[in-house]
Amino acid sequence: PAVGLGIVKQSKASTIDVADAVRAALPELQAALPQGMKLDVAYDSSTFIKDSIHEVTQTIFIAMALVILVILFFLQTARATLIPAVAIPISIVGAFAVAYAMGFTINILTLLAMVLAIGLVVDDAIVMLENVYRHMEMGKSRLRAALEGSKEIGFAILATTITLVAVFVPVSFLTGTVGRLFSEFGLSVAVAVLISGFVALTLTPMLCSRILKSAHGGSTSGIGHRINRFLDGVNVRFERTLRWFLGHRGVALGIAGALLLAIAGLFMILPRELVPTEDRSVGFGIVIAPEGSTLEYTDRYMRQVEGILMPLPERRGLFTATGLGFGGPGQVTNGFLFLGLKPPDERPKAWIPTPLTMTFPMLKVPIYRARTQQEIVQQLFPQLISIPGVLAFVINPPSIGGRFSSSPVEYVLQGEDYEQLA
């Protein structure tokens, strides 16, 4: 037996701030409770948000490290790598500054925009660096190479920057649910790319004129020689392939046409949905008893549901309520439950068959892993639906927006009389 306390944030409030404030107040509330009572959290929607933001934040640093390593692999000097790498923090900080001025928040989509921007903001700087380096290979001084190289390539960088901005800005003007989701995403990427173009046209040439080494002034290490031989081989094979395709233009056009048809075919075949169902380590359950049932009748069957859910090895907690009302008086024929699951990395692992491909779902290969939330809910469905006397089932929470009780499809039957309705 328990008393349930639900806390719902206001529409403009931050879910994480509200949850942190509630958890900070729990010790004081616990001290005020009578002896023998314990205060615990049955469901906290901020946990999934915190985990998601933490993962995306890690991805940002991983993306930065990978981009810098790739640049270092091709340029093979720390000085040259530093020049385009500087564009990353400047563009990201500038994008966050604009986001702050426009009232955006740090959420999954704005952080994903930063992850995408990391790979885009270095492009212009690399193009500028390569052209300045090419002029230095001609024997020009660093300052002259920077001036002539930036003048030569500046218009092309400006064109590519405007093109990318023109792609992402319209995303911000989408309407409906998609518009609310991606308006901040589109503007964040566009601002980061715009700042990167400005950096490539100003700061990058200046850095090249100051710290870029002369093309003939250094030696290459043994690793550098091996990398250069590999890149030279790739360049030779690319040139041969390009010459072959230029001599067989009909084949090239045929391959391009086949790829376009494949894109159209796959677009028609692949299933469509707004967002996929995510593993949030929670399941929502509903129990519906026949009309006229008493509270004791519904509660008795709710105990049977609890008996099925309690032995789950992935269960972290369970909160059930009978006669709970949402937006109105409760009905004793209805029951509701929160099934809290352990985080994915803490769930027990076993050999579980997994579909090999989406195209051939019958080909299953067992993999030693933990069950996902979706698989647990799928396994519980036949067990709960087979309980006689009530309708009981567990569902996955909606990925974005909506209530747990909402459905993707709603319909209304209209008729002139009850006979027509029947």
Side-chain angles (χ1 to χ4, degrees):
V3 175
L5 173 63
I7 299 176
V8 182
K9 74 176 186 68
Q10 295 180 354
S11 59
K12 298 295 183 181
S14 167
T15 302
I16 295 179
D17 291 344
V18 172
D20 290 342
V22 171
R23 288 188 177 274
L26 289 183
E28 184 179 352
L29 295 175
Q30 177 68 58
L33 291 176
Q35 187 175 3
M37 294 190 70
K38 182 178 70 172
L39 190 63
D40 200 2
V41 177
Y43 172 64
D44 183 2
S45 61
S46 70
T47 303
F48 173 76
I49 300 175
K50 291 178 181 178
D51 293 341
S52 300
I53 290 180
H54 177 69
E55 289 181 3
V56 178
T57 305
Q58 285 183 326
T59 304
I60 288 178
F61 289 104
I62 294 173
M64 290 178 62
L66 291 176
V67 167
I68 292 174
L69 286 176
V70 170
I71 296 173
L72 182 62
F73 176 82
F74 283 94
L75 302 183
Q76 301 172 27
T77 64
R79 285 173 175 262
T81 303
L82 177 64
I83 295 173
V86 167
I88 298 177
I90 294 177
S91 302
I92 299 302
V93 170
F96 275 132
V98 174
Y100 177 78
M102 299 185 69
F104 295 167
T105 61
I106 294 180
N107 51 55
I108 302 298
L109 291 169
T110 51
L111 291 179
L112 284 177
M114 298 301 106
V115 174
L116 177 62
I118 286 173
L120 297 174
V121 297
V122 295
D123 291 347
D124 294 339
I126 292 175
V127 171
M128 178 65 73
L129 171 69
E130 287 285 353
N131 201 51
V132 172
Y133 191 80
R134 183 177 65 86
H135 280 267
M136 291 178 63
E137 286 182 325
M138 299 177 184
K140 300 177 183 179
S141 65
R142 288 185 297 189
L143 181 59
R144 183 183 174 190
L147 287 172
E148 296 183 4
S150 59
K151 182 180 179 180
E152 185 179 49
I153 205 75
F155 187 77
I157 289 179
L158 184 63
T160 56
T161 301
I162 295 175
T163 301
L164 284 173
V165 171
V167 170
F168 287 102
V169 166
V171 176
S172 305
F173 297 101
L174 293 174
T175 58
T177 303
V178 177
R180 290 195 296 271
L181 283 174
F182 288 100
S183 60
E184 298 182 4
F185 173 86
L187 285 177
S188 298
V189 176
V191 168
V193 171
L194 197 61
I195 295 174
S196 73
F198 179 78
V199 170
L201 292 172
T202 55
L203 182 62
T204 300
M206 186 277 293
L207 292 175
C208 289
S209 69
R210 295 294 180 180
I211 67 175
L212 190 61
K213 273 190 174 183
S214 173
H216 307 286
S219 60
T220 306
S221 63
I223 298 177
H225 282 300
R226 287 193 288 270
I227 293 176
N228 286 334
R229 284 198 300 269
F230 169 75
L231 295 178
D232 289 340
V234 172
N235 190 36
V236 170
R237 287 188 290 271
F238 168 69
E239 183 179 355
R240 290 174 182 172
T241 306
L242 182 59
R243 288 184 181 277
W244 188 90
F245 272 102
L246 290 175
H248 301 78
R249 299 180 182 181
V251 177
L253 291 175
I255 294 176
L259 290 175
L260 288 175
L261 292 176
I263 291 173
L266 290 173
F267 180 79
M268 299 300 296
I269 293 174
L270 288 173
R272 293 167 173 80
E273 59 182 350
L274 180 60
V275 288
T277 302
E278 298 178 274
D279 191 335
R280 300 195 172 201
S281 299
V282 66
F284 296 147
I286 298 175
V287 177
I288 303 175
E291 287 295 333
S293 302
T294 63
L295 183 65
E296 291 75 14
Y297 178 94
T298 307
D299 187 64
R300 184 169 69 251
Y301 280 97
M302 182 67 82
R303 304 292 178 179
Q304 294 187 28
V305 173
E306 293 176 0
I308 295 175
L309 301 180
M310 288 296 287
L312 280 175
E314 296 89 354
R315 182 186 61 82
R316 181 184 59 84
L318 179 62
F319 175 84
T320 65
T322 305
L324 188 62
F326 294 95
Q331 297 180 354
V332 297
T333 57
N334 294 344
F336 178 77
L337 64 90
F338 286 115
L339 173 61
L341 302 175
K342 298 176 182 177
D345 55 347
E346 297 180 12
R347 298 172 194 167
K349 297 182 179 180
W351 288 96
I352 303 173
T354 302
L356 182 61
T357 62
M358 292 180 62
T359 310
F360 306 101
M362 298 304 296
L363 299 177
K364 295 186 177 181
V365 178
I367 299 178
Y368 188 72
R369 61 179 179 86
R371 293 195 301 175
T372 64
Q373 166 197 297
Q374 293 87 335
E375 290 172 333
I376 296 171
V377 170
Q378 185 178 8
Q379 180 223 349
L380 290 173
F381 191 85
Q383 299 182 39
L384 298 179
I385 207 73
S386 61
I387 298 178
V390 292
L391 174 62
F393 55 89
V394 176
I395 61 174
N396 295 298
S399 296
I400 56 169
R403 298 172 297 173
F404 68 90
S405 58
S406 63
S407 301
V409 177
E410 295 181 0
Y411 58 89
V412 177
L413 294 180
Q414 291 182 324
E416 298 296 332
D417 50 39
Y418 288 108
E419 184 178 347
Q420 184 179 357
L421 284 176

